[in-house]
Amino acid sequence: MRDFGLYIVVTQPVIGHLRFTETCVKEEVPILQLREKDMPDREFLKLARGMREIIRGSGTLFFVNDRPDIALLSGADGLHLGPEDLPWQEVAKLIKPGMLLGVSTHSLEQANQLMAERQAAAEGFNPDYMSFGPIFSTPAKAKPDPPVGTDKLAEVIAQASLPVVAIGGIFPENLGEVLSSGARNISMIRQFSLCRDEAELVDNIRIIKSILKENIS
């Protein structure tokens, strides 16, 4: 998997999940990840299938957070796992060939461990990218991890043999600092989920994509 740029995590969007998805597909967002921690399983599956249908046939990839079962049943392109989720090596035994995998890391130690595991893994299912963060303080989680900062982000990117997605507390005003660390893939939640209408969402997507284009050769 190569660097892809913008990666939007979809969490309780103000304009609604399906309308949000339709807009992101129109704006050619490379990756959408559905992340809803407290949604009942049946509702979560129905939503994932609805988003999958909107995304199908487009240039956008659809990932499901945490849940291998929902990813499989909805026909998602990929699955994203956190450090407290099922081990990715075990998930490899369950999911279909060709499904992409992302893994969260929240410290330099976790990032180094993932890279070592990936190098030692057998051929076949293996993490395609990892996220690293939170780069800055963020209330996106009930129990947020400590910020890692851009210096550690730069260290991880320099060592990584797979795409690294910077995540956590990133907004237009600090995006330049993140990109200066060598980041080529950016994940954001509140910058998009809090948009009050489609026009605002379109503007925000285009602003971020423009900043990425100007700073990444």
Side-chain angles (χ1 to χ4, degrees):
M1 191 173 191
R2 298 181 178 179
D3 291 324
F4 36 81
L6 181 58
Y7 184 129
I8 296 182
V9 176
V10 187
T11 299
Q12 298 179 339
V14 171
I15 68 171
H17 291 84
L18 300 186
R19 187 178 175 197
F20 187 98
T21 302
E22 289 171 352
T23 304
C24 289
V25 169
K26 290 176 184 176
E27 291 301 309
E28 300 180 341
V29 172
I31 298 179
L32 290 182
Q33 180 202 127
L34 175 58
R35 177 183 178 271
E36 294 295 351
K37 298 287 188 177
D38 301 316
M39 186 174 288
D41 287 358
R42 290 193 180 192
E43 184 179 347
F44 192 15
L45 176 58
K46 181 179 179 181
L47 175 58
R49 283 174 168 166
M51 291 176 65
R52 166 77 276 183
E53 285 307 307
I54 293 170
I55 292 171
R56 192 182 305 280
S58 73
T60 300
L61 295 174
F62 175 52
F63 278 70
V64 171
N65 181 267
D66 290 350
R67 299 288 299 271
D69 53 346
I70 301 294
L72 278 169
L73 291 171
S74 66
D77 298 300
L79 170 68
H80 186 90
L81 297 173
E84 297 179 359
D85 295 329
L86 293 171
W88 65 264
Q89 298 93 330
E90 297 299 320
V91 173
K93 303 171 186 177
L94 303 175
I95 70 171
K96 64 181 182 180
M99 182 175 282
L100 299 169
L101 174 69
V103 178
S104 294
T105 61
H106 303 307
S107 67
L108 195 57
E109 293 72 23
Q110 287 182 5
N112 288 333
Q113 179 181 346
L114 176 63
M115 286 187 279
E117 291 173 348
R118 187 174 184 268
Q119 187 172 8
E123 291 291 330
F125 187 70
N126 218 321
D128 296 285
Y129 72 88
M130 70 172 169
S131 65
F132 185 68
I135 308 303
F136 306 108
S137 297
T138 174
K141 287 186 174 182
K143 296 181 180 180
D145 297 283
V148 295
T150 53
D151 288 343
K152 289 183 179 177
L153 172 63
E155 186 174 344
V156 169
I157 291 171
Q159 298 175 4
S161 58
L162 71 170
V164 177
V165 182
I167 188 171
I170 301 174
F171 291 95
E173 55 267 28
N174 58 28
L175 180 54
E177 181 183 353
V178 176
L179 296 176
S180 295
S181 71
R184 294 295 179 266
N185 309 295
I186 306 295
S187 184
M188 310 170 88
I189 301 177
R190 288 174 291 161
Q191 176 70 18
F192 304 111
S193 64
L194 297 180
C195 291
R196 294 159 294 183
D197 53 40
E198 184 177 348
E200 184 179 3
L201 177 57
V202 168
D203 286 345
N204 282 359
I205 291 172
R206 292 181 180 179
I207 288 170
I208 299 303
K209 290 180 77 171
S210 176
I211 295 173
L212 292 174
K213 184 177 181 180
E214 289 174 2
N215 287 272
I216 299 175
S217 55

